[in-house]
Structures are given as structure tokens and as C-alpha cells.
Amino acid sequence: MAKSNNHEQIKQENESLKQQVAQYQNKEQVTNVEIYNLNQHIMELERTKADLQVTITMAQQQLKQAHETSTNK
């Protein structure tokens, strides 16, 4: 009887450990997805930053030209 109870207890502990492993694997997968999404967002922000830098440079050039034009008149 003691062996049967011990065997049953070991089976329950094994099942519990399997569930814990599954939970950790799910958390790791979620984390990987979150990291991927954050990296995608970072790349988006970097593209936006590059676009804004181009826009700023163009605006500065236009202002410089407008200033030169108004100064020359």
C-alpha cells in the first residue's frame, strides 16, 4: 500500500512539474513575441526619425533660400 501511495504521489508531482514547465514555456513564447513586437516598433520609430531629419533639412534649406532671396532684394 505504501508503494502505491508513493507511486501516486510521484505521478502527481510529475504532472505538476509538467504543468509548471508548460507555463514557463508559454511565458517565454509571450516574451519572444513581445520582444519581436518591440523591435518592429523600434524600426518604425527609426524610419520616422529618418523621415523627420530629411524634412528638417529640407525646411532649413528652404528657410535659408528664403532668407537669401529676401536679403538680395
Side-chain angles (χ1 to χ4, degrees), residues 47-62:
R47 283 191 295 271
T48 302
K49 179 183 173 185
D51 289 345
L52 289 172
Q53 286 173 332
V54 169
T55 303
I56 288 169
T57 302
M58 290 171 59
Q60 287 172 336
Q61 288 173 348
Q62 287 177 348

Side-chain angles (χ1 to χ4, degrees), residues 2-3 6 13-14 20 28 32-33 41 49-50 53 61:
K3 281 187 177 182
N6 195 20
E13 287 176 6
N14 188 31
Q20 285 180 351
E28 181 180 334
N32 287 339
V33 168
H41 190 61
K49 179 183 173 185
Q53 286 173 332
Q61 288 173 348

Side-chain angles (χ1 to χ4, degrees), residues 1-2 4-5 7-9 13 15-16 20 24 31 33 35 37 39 45-46 59 62-66:
M1 199 64 161
S4 176
N5 285 342
H7 181 70
E8 196 58 38
Q9 182 181 0
E13 287 176 6
E15 199 56 42
S16 173
Q20 285 180 351
Y24 287 127
T31 301
V33 168
I35 289 170
N37 289 339
N39 283 333
L45 291 172
E46 286 175 348
Q62 287 177 348
L63 280 172
K64 184 179 177 184
Q65 287 174 350

